[in-house]
Amino acid sequence: FCDGSDFSSKAASMQYYSKLYGEAYVELCECAIERMDQGGTIVGISSPGCTPQYRANMGYDIPGTGKCVMEYTTRLMAIKAAPRGITCNVVIPGFTVTDAWDKIATARGTTKHELIAGMMNDMAPLKKLMHPNHIGSIVSFLGSEAGLYITGVSIPADGGVHLV
């Protein structure tokens, strides 16, 4: 890395994820706040490993830094949106069964279900796999009457991954 041989690809990746999870998220939040006259909910989706409550994951260094920007920005957006009655939060799901795991599983010679189940058994005290509809339920709660007092936080809804 010090000889510059790997720097350009790392820098390009860093810029990509900063734009995706930083700049794009800020722009989306600002547009949403402007369009919501009075009240509403903005929810970002992050992933484990991006905040200090999680163990650092060297394999997730570049995307993780972009999501750190998103999580911090959510706190600032919550302050900005509060006068309009808008809440802003981030949900941090646990091991979620999605197609995103296919390439990793193939590279490791296994299936995504076996890969996710193995990781979940090692790192999630509740030992429960998530599906996208579970994340949707959490987002729905944040937009409900009961969730309207929660703002400016990154919520680990991860089966306890943040505890390990």
Side-chain angles (χ1 to χ4, degrees):
F1 193 78
C2 291
D3 65 2
S5 61
D6 192 38
F7 182 73
S8 63
S9 64
K10 289 271 189 190
S13 293
M14 180 71 80
Q15 287 174 338
Y16 171 80
Y17 285 106
S18 291
K19 286 181 183 288
L20 177 65
Y21 297 118
E23 293 176 37
Y25 184 72
V26 168
E27 192 169 324
L28 288 168
C29 287
E30 288 178 343
C31 289
I33 291 167
E34 287 302 316
R35 289 177 178 221
M36 295 179 190
D37 291 330
Q38 220 24 269
T41 303
I42 297 170
V43 181
I45 307 296
S46 189
S47 56
C50 301
T51 58
Q53 63 199 20
Y54 290 93
R55 180 180 52 149
N57 180 349
M58 290 304 292
Y60 200 65
D61 53 345
I62 303 297
T65 56
K67 289 186 178 184
C68 285
V69 172
M70 182 180 77
E71 291 184 34
Y72 182 75
T73 298
T74 294
R75 294 166 55 200
L76 301 174
M77 289 296 161
I79 294 167
K80 182 178 181 177
R84 292 181 176 224
I86 301 167
T87 62
C88 299
N89 295 293
V90 171
V91 173
I92 307 170
F95 294 106
T96 308
V97 180
T98 67
D99 292 342
W101 292 98
D102 287 333
K103 285 185 181 179
I104 298 169
T106 300
R108 295 184 183 181
T110 187
T111 68
K112 74 177 171 188
H113 292 285
E114 290 171 346
L115 176 68
I116 298 168
M119 293 173 77
M120 180 224 25
N121 283 326
D122 289 342
M123 295 187 268
L126 283 180
K127 311 272 186 249
K128 292 183 179 182
L129 284 177
M130 294 184 77
H131 293 274
N133 62 317
H134 296 126
I135 299 167
S137 295
I138 297 162
V139 171
S140 179
F141 167 76
L142 290 171
S144 74
E145 187 70 32
L148 292 179
Y149 295 92
I150 302 169
T151 194
V153 296
S154 296
I155 302 169
D158 60 7
V161 173
H162 68 281
L163 300 171
V164 180

